[in-house]
Amino acid sequence: MADRRAAINRAAAAFATISATPRLDAELLMAHVLGISREALLLGQLDGPAPEGFAALVARRLDHEPIAYITGTRAFWTIELQVGPGALVPRADSETLIEAALAHFGARAPATILDLGTGPGTLLLAALDQWPRAHGLGIDESERALSYAEINAEDLGMAERARFRRGDWAADLQGQFDLILANPPYIGAGESLPREVSDHEPAGALFAGADGLDDYRIIMPQVPALLAPGGIACIEVGAGQADAVAALVAAQGLRPGRRADLAGIDRCVTASH
């Protein structure tokens, strides 16, 4: 039986053709099958035989299944979320929205938060962790995604502060919110995606018409009435879409802004009164 170091090395080499993070993928899978954190693995658990279940996980990854679906978890901002088929995998790019909200509020804190297209609760629960006195509402059309959101809120001790409901964006929603977060689908119908996305993640959370802007055209007219005075809406956009979405913001009489992700891409368009 191969030892853990050799098994990780072989898996990383195999993943090199399908993943931008082959070594990380291999270490996460090894840690998962051992039932420990990656940190614990690297700090003292690399010796010893590789567990039997590791090979099966490697095979799933080689079939382009997302690491988050295999392990059932994904870290985001300051929290760890349960995820799986039917829910969009949280991505680090989306943390740009939380950064934009922090920049807006400064020493203040939003009291009420709305997350449109919440998925497994990603943005809402990250924001509630950032502002522990806030309460929020997450909306999604997918019952499966909402089931993950409910589980995550319970696991994170936020069940009393986070509510979730099924809905079509903000249709029929009343009230105002200090912070509105949204990560709508923004992939154009003809665009190609990596297999781990196209083969496994829900198409309804990815594609939005020919130009990828269909859902922004629905969301932006809903925002002015929902945004409280002094608040901000932080909306994720795809690469190259910031100009078009900012124009939709301005058309609603709101002031648009932008924030770039770590790669320097305008990833968040903001809207404020």
Side-chain angles (χ1 to χ4, degrees):
M1 182 179 293
D3 65 42
R4 294 171 192 171
R5 294 176 192 270
I8 289 172
N9 288 340
R10 281 201 299 272
F15 295 158
T17 60
I18 67 163
S19 172
T21 56
R23 180 81 187 183
L24 175 62
D25 291 3
E27 291 169 352
L28 287 171
L29 293 182
M30 181 63 76
H32 176 68
V33 76
L34 289 170
I36 60 177
S37 69
R38 175 173 171 260
E39 290 73 18
L41 171 70
L42 297 179
L43 289 175
Q45 299 292 325
L46 282 170
D47 295 321
E52 291 183 7
F54 183 66
L57 300 190
V58 170
R60 290 171 65 183
R61 183 66 183 118
L62 288 173
D63 194 38
H64 298 267
E65 187 173 351
I67 286 287
Y69 283 2
I70 299 173
T71 65
T73 62
R74 172 58 65 92
F76 181 83
W77 196 245
T78 53
I79 59 177
E80 182 119 344
L81 298 164
Q82 290 194 41
V83 295
L88 190 72
V89 175
R91 290 160 167 79
D93 290 343
S94 300
E95 294 181 355
T96 310
L97 278 64
I98 305 296
E99 294 170 353
L102 279 166
H104 174 80
F105 287 104
R108 298 185 296 128
T112 53
I113 302 169
L114 172 65
D115 182 13
L116 297 173
T118 193
T122 304
L123 289 166
L124 177 60
L125 298 175
L128 292 179
D129 196 55
Q130 184 66 44
W131 293 288
R133 295 186 179 180
H135 289 71
L137 170 65
I139 295 178
D140 204 287
E141 69 172 2
S142 168
E143 292 282 10
R144 195 164 188 184
L146 289 173
S147 69
Y148 284 108
E150 296 276 8
I151 291 168
N152 286 323
E154 188 71 36
D155 287 350
L156 292 166
M158 299 179 188
E160 294 185 359
R161 296 196 292 131
R163 295 182 298 119
F164 298 97
R165 79 178 214 192
R166 189 177 184 186
D168 181 11
W169 299 119
D172 303 320
L173 185 61
Q174 304 296 319
Q176 290 190 317
F177 299 85
D178 299 317
L179 173 59
I180 298 174
L181 300 163
N183 179 16
Y186 53 70
I187 306 298
E191 295 183 49
S192 61
L193 293 170
R195 277 188 57 193
E196 69 179 80
V197 179
S198 62
D199 289 2
H200 295 278
E201 295 192 67
L206 298 168
F207 296 100
D211 60 1
L213 299 174
D214 281 5
D215 288 296
Y216 298 105
R217 297 185 181 104
I218 297 171
I219 293 168
M220 287 319 307
Q222 299 172 336
V223 168
L226 295 170
L227 188 60
I232 191 170
C234 300
I235 303 157
E236 183 164 341
V237 299
Q241 293 177 327
D243 286 347
V245 176
L248 292 173
V249 170
Q252 297 301 320
L254 298 172
R255 185 171 67 250
R258 306 165 188 239
R259 189 175 185 93
D261 62 19
L262 292 175
I265 297 168
D266 284 337
R267 183 63 60 187
C268 173
V269 169
T270 62
S272 55
H273 289 295

